[in-house]
Amino acid sequence: GAGVSQSPRYKVAKRGQDVALRCDPISGHVSLFWYQQALGQGPEFLTYFQNEAQLDKSGLPSDRFFAERPEGSVSTLKIQRTQQEDSAVYLCADAQDRDGEQYFGPGTRLTVT
Amino acid sequence: AQSVTQLDSQVPVFEEAPVELRCNYSSSVSVYLFWYVQYPNQGLQLLLKYLSGSTLVESINGFEAEFNKSQTSFHLRKPSVHISDTAEYFCAESGSNTGNQFYFGTGTSLTVIP
């Protein structure tokens, strides 16, 4: 594909439901990142993968948040027992290691009601 | 801790006027700096970046930014804006000690007035 894709683009969940957000990175890009962007804010780092290894998950706000990338390509961000404060746009980005530029997907807008 | 400050949350400017969007970073070690643009209902797109070398970097659509180490700034400028430049602009930094993690500012909403 031409770029990073994310699905679904929009998700409405009732409080307490579990959600799974998918990211399809650019083929061959080793690094993958998840960010959370609240309304009116800049993206905030959640977690980072290099291939299938999750090297940094310091930004995950609680143990309800879980991310995986089992084969080093597609990644899934899972949020269990969603809360209203989880409402945000979740961005996936990937990068080639050499120059540090990150390529962003369109994001998934999650609304928890 | 690293942080990026964008001093202006909203900047209205008339078409064909110059504009400057301010960005200050905090890292005291080697740093990479970026400006991303987000058009309505679209994802973040890289506008320009500073990795090393010349401190003045340019984009293909007339924006430029200058890395100023003494002032820890990376302000974005354009001498003459167009209606199509209306968007949200985010400054970001990463560094050799961050594992490629990006730190973003809170964004500046640029509105070009016809």
Side-chain angles (χ1 to χ4, degrees):
Chain A
V4 180
S5 60
Q6 292 185 245
S7 60
R9 291 292 311 277
Y10 303 91
K11 176 69 178 178
V12 178
K14 291 185 177 179
R15 192 175 66 174
Q17 283 185 331
D18 299 348
V19 298
L21 313 179
R22 177 187 170 106
C23 173
D24 286 83
I26 297 171
S27 177
H29 281 197
V30 170
S31 301
L32 186 143
F33 305 79
W34 283 98
Y35 293 87
Q36 181 189 59
Q37 186 177 15
L39 188 64
Q41 300 295 317
E44 293 193 359
F45 171 80
L46 294 177
T47 187
Y48 161 59
F49 290 85
Q50 184 168 328
N51 295 307
E52 69 278 5
Q54 189 174 20
L55 299 185
D56 187 346
K57 53 182 180 179
S58 62
L60 296 177
S62 77
D63 58 7
R64 296 185 295 103
F65 286 71
F66 173 76
E68 59 183 7
R69 195 187 185 197
E71 297 180 356
S73 57
V74 172
S75 178
T76 303
L77 176 68
K78 297 178 179 178
I79 309 173
Q80 298 176 325
R81 305 181 304 281
T82 53
Q83 303 294 314
Q84 282 192 321
E85 61 263 29
D86 300 334
S87 295
V89 176
Y90 290 85
L91 298 168
C92 175
D94 70 6
Q96 296 174 318
D97 287 333
R98 186 177 65 183
D99 61 10
E101 175 180 344
Q102 295 194 7
Y103 301 87
F104 283 82
T108 295
R109 181 177 297 277
L110 173 65
T111 303
V112 181
T113 61
Chain B
Q2 291 171 281
S3 68
V4 174
T5 303
Q6 292 183 246
L7 296 170
D8 308 300
S9 60
Q10 295 185 353
V11 173
V13 63
F14 285 104
E15 191 175 14
E16 298 183 1
V19 70
E20 177 180 83
L21 307 183
R22 295 180 290 171
C23 172
N24 288 88
Y25 65 93
S26 65
S27 177
S28 60
V29 297
S30 61
V31 64
Y32 308 134
L33 295 163
F34 306 79
W35 276 99
Y36 279 83
V37 58
Q38 188 173 33
Y39 298 104
N41 299 315
Q42 295 188 28
L44 288 160
Q45 302 173 31
L46 181 69
L47 190 59
L48 46 76
K49 62 184 177 183
Y50 169 78
L51 302 180
S52 65
S54 173
T55 58
L56 184 66
V57 290
E58 299 177 348
S59 72
I60 59 174
N61 58 350
F63 282 93
E64 65 178 30
E66 185 166 17
F67 170 62
N68 188 318
K69 188 173 182 179
S70 64
Q71 297 185 7
T72 60
S73 69
F74 191 59
H75 300 332
L76 181 70
R77 302 183 182 94
K78 189 171 185 179
S80 177
V81 295
H82 190 267
I83 295 291
S84 60
D85 294 324
T86 294
E88 190 85 15
Y89 292 79
F90 292 94
C91 182
E93 71 164 311
S94 69
S96 56
N97 63 336
T98 67
N100 286 337
Q101 181 181 146
F102 273 35
Y103 293 88
F104 283 86
T106 52
T108 297
S109 177
L110 173 65
T111 301
V112 180
I113 305 165

